[in-house]
Amino acid sequence: MSEEEDELILSELDDEELVSQMMDDLYDGLRDEVCEGVNILLERGWAPYRVLTEALVGGMTIVGRDFRDGILFVPEVLLAANAMKGGMAILKPLLAETGAETVGRMVIGTVKGDIHDIGQNLVTMMMEGAGFEVMNIGINNPVENFIDAAKEFDADILGMSALLTTTMPYMKTVIDEMKEQGIRDDYIVLVGGAPLNEEFGKAIGADAYCRDAAVAVEKAKEMVARRHNQRASG
Ligand code: B1M
């Protein structure tokens, strides 16, 4: 099928059919088609955040389920991730546009041993959209990367992401090292990633566990404001 014919068909679908088709395209790793779907939904007046959560994150959830069940394998999931990133790249500047002045500074990265970066990229986009300045240090970060970046960037928040049950304990290693260096309370520590939960966040000494990017923004705003108020009154 030619690209032109393909475009014609996608743009002829109603919203519900289009989102469902985009999920299929994401599943099949069809980056161009996913990007096209994103553009069509935006042209139809969908808010960037809605496109992100309903079409892209929704699609990746299905990929995750079938990956878990052994229906999809790493190469296919990589293609799906690539398609998702294509869609995210279109949404990124639009989400950032909604931001006001800088409300705080954050360093975020995925911990050592872990190469999943879609979630933390999404958190970065949403934080930037909410007016935070973000230094994203990428994947597979040892403790010194987090601490050096937080100091260098003069961060208010240190954010960590982990997607594997085998890498999430490394978050505690980072927090323990911060304590060891006497700098733990200089930063708000936020953690997130699919295998984590509230209890784990508390157990490792983080300030908050963030279920998703929207919660990360909420917690970040709330905690930075509280810190500023405390400093102003103290
Ligand atoms: Co991987 N993988 N993977 N994988 N992968 C999972 C995580 C898994 C749950 C799949 C499964 O079995 N169902 C499973 C982990 C099982 C476990 O630990 N219990 C798994 C596995 C096993 C593996 C490998 C070991 C597979 C292998 O090699 N045999 C391997 C490990 C590699 C490594 O890291 N060392 C591996 C590799 C990969 C790919 C490279 C193929 C690819 C990553 C590509 C990339 O990221 N560039 C991949 C993918 C895509 C996934 C799934 C399918 C999707 C993850 C994702 O991007 N989700 C995933 C299944 C799943 O999670 N259901 C899976 C979408 C994203 C938007 O959500 O990342 O949860 P998420 O982020 C959310 C929140 O969690 C939160 O906000 C985000 C937005 O709302 N959040 C934060 C995340 N980080 C935050 C940080 C914050 C705040 C909030 O800081 C403040």
Side-chain angles (χ1 to χ4, degrees), residues 126-152:
M126 295 286 295
M127 293 289 292
E128 286 176 345
F132 284 85
E133 279 185 54
V134 183
M135 181 183 198
N136 186 328
I137 58 173
I139 54 172
N140 194 19
N141 284 289
V143 60
E144 58 273 19
N145 287 12
F146 283 105
I147 291 179
D148 291 351
K151 287 179 182 165
E152 184 196 316

Side-chain angles (χ1 to χ4, degrees), residues 169-187:
Y170 195 78
M171 292 174 162
K172 184 172 185 307
T173 306
V174 176
I175 295 175
D176 287 349
E177 180 58 25
M178 291 169 81
K179 286 182 185 158
E180 186 71 28
Q181 294 187 19
I183 58 166
R184 168 62 187 90
D185 293 337
D186 295 349
Y187 305 97

Side-chain angles (χ1 to χ4, degrees), residues 57 60-61 63-65 67-69 73-75 77-78 81 84-85 106 108-109 113-120 122-123 157-167 190-195 208-214 216:
V57 175
M60 190 49 92
T61 304
V63 171
R65 192 194 58 207
F67 188 29
R68 180 199 61 207
D69 295 343
F73 297 95
V74 170
V77 178
L78 269 176
M84 171 130 186
K85 284 183 176 180
M106 179 191 212
I108 187 165
D114 201 320
I115 62 166
H116 295 85
D117 67 351
I118 295 177
Q120 57 121 329
L122 214 154
V123 173
I157 304 167
L158 194 153
M160 290 185 275
S161 181
L163 266 289
L164 300 172
T165 44
T166 48
T167 57
L190 301 182
V191 294
Y209 155 70
C210 310
R211 188 181 64 244
D212 59 29

